[in-house]
Amino acid sequence: MTAPDNAQLKREAAVSALDYVEDGMKLGLGTGSTADLFIELIARRILQGLRIQAVPTSERTARAARAHGIPLFDLDAVAPLDLTIDGTDEADRALDLVKGAGGALLREKIVAASSKRMVVIADASKLVQRLGRFPLPIEVVSFGHGTTASRIAGAVAALGYGKVPIVLREKNGAPVRTDTGNQIYDCHFGAIADAPALASRLSQIPGVVEHGLFIGIATTLLIAGPGGVETIERR
């Protein structure tokens, strides 16, 4: 699939998500390239009279929303939200996700968990039979992050994954910092046999702030492919 085709599919998924937005909604705005397209589209609706109260999932999204004139609110002031629209790095047909390529996984999960519904928008390349092809981001506190990484390695080995490459995310030779000042390790599983079990185990590790497995959170998946947009609902 060429880059222009991929970009067009992302836009088609974002357009489809507009059908879920109603006037007066409290809306979570996701982070990433597909979410950026949705922000542009919803801004046009606001110019046409749509009223929403939006909560951004990252500083990047907040900047984009302000640039498009979208009114932003603090989550604590408006929760629970009616709906969150966000992209994903991977999704399966059970609507479990891997997110965090943009480093916003913590805020993305907090906002999604504070919403009555989460609609995920993506192109067809993001739909997989089994999660894990995309590296799983794990956000950790900076203090003792190396020892936390060792505990992560031990935990995944105990679950039968063997020696999984666990790599500190860096940019320009320095560790990447999230909006909340934490660091990220990317774990290269290749395939995740039991995503709920892995998510549960990772959440128990001291030093782990959050991981990129979104289990049982998404309610609708909009996947744009050559034949149109497929809607997958949680059963």
Side-chain angles (χ1 to χ4, degrees):
M1 183 179 295
T2 64
D5 288 339
N6 194 53
Q8 179 58 32
L9 293 179
K10 289 181 178 182
R11 180 169 290 276
E12 290 175 9
V15 169
S16 295
L18 291 172
D19 292 339
Y20 293 82
V21 181
E22 299 176 4
D23 190 56
M25 270 190 166
K26 295 178 287 185
L27 184 66
L29 299 177
T31 297
S33 58
T34 312
D36 286 344
L37 294 171
F38 177 77
I39 289 171
E40 294 177 14
L41 294 168
I42 202 69
R44 296 177 190 174
R45 290 289 180 90
I46 290 172
L47 289 175
Q48 296 168 0
L50 178 72
R51 298 167 299 167
I52 62 169
Q53 294 175 296
V55 175
T57 55
S58 66
E59 295 303 317
R60 165 184 166 173
T61 294
R63 288 191 296 269
R66 292 190 189 102
H68 284 87
I70 298 174
L72 298 181
F73 294 80
D74 182 81
L75 177 62
D76 287 340
V78 296
L81 306 182
D82 298 298
L83 175 67
T84 287
I85 306 286
D86 204 349
T88 190
D89 300 311
E90 279 189 338
D92 62 20
R93 288 188 174 274
L95 273 69
D96 292 332
L97 317 172
V98 169
K99 290 178 53 58
L105 61 154
L106 175 59
R107 293 192 184 184
E108 286 175 328
K109 192 174 284 189
I110 290 173
V111 171
S114 302
S115 304
K116 297 174 184 176
R117 299 186 67 189
M118 180 188 188
V119 173
V120 178
I121 50 178
D123 64 89
S125 69
K126 304 299 176 64
L127 184 62
V128 298
Q129 287 189 333
R130 178 175 290 183
L131 300 178
R133 179 181 62 191
F134 191 91
L136 175 66
I138 302 178
E139 186 168 343
V140 302
V141 295
S142 297
F143 177 77
H145 66 88
T147 60
T148 302
S150 296
R151 284 191 290 272
I152 293 170
V156 300
L159 288 173
Y161 292 99
K163 190 173 182 180
V164 173
I166 301 174
V167 181
L168 180 65
R169 189 181 297 185
E170 295 183 337
K171 183 177 182 180
N172 299 325
V176 168
R177 296 281 182 170
T178 67
D179 287 345
T180 46
N182 300 313
Q183 296 177 202
I184 293 178
Y185 279 91
D186 292 309
C187 301
H188 299 253
F189 284 90
I192 296 174
D194 188 335
L198 177 61
S200 177
R201 183 65 187 89
L202 292 175
S203 296
Q204 298 172 23
I205 298 173
V208 170
V209 178
E210 194 50 85
H211 53 76
L213 285 169
F214 282 53
I215 307 297
I217 297 176
T219 55
T220 304
L221 182 60
L222 302 177
I223 293 290
V229 178
E230 179 183 4
T231 300
I232 306 173
E233 299 280 358
R234 179 170 296 282
R235 297 176 180 176

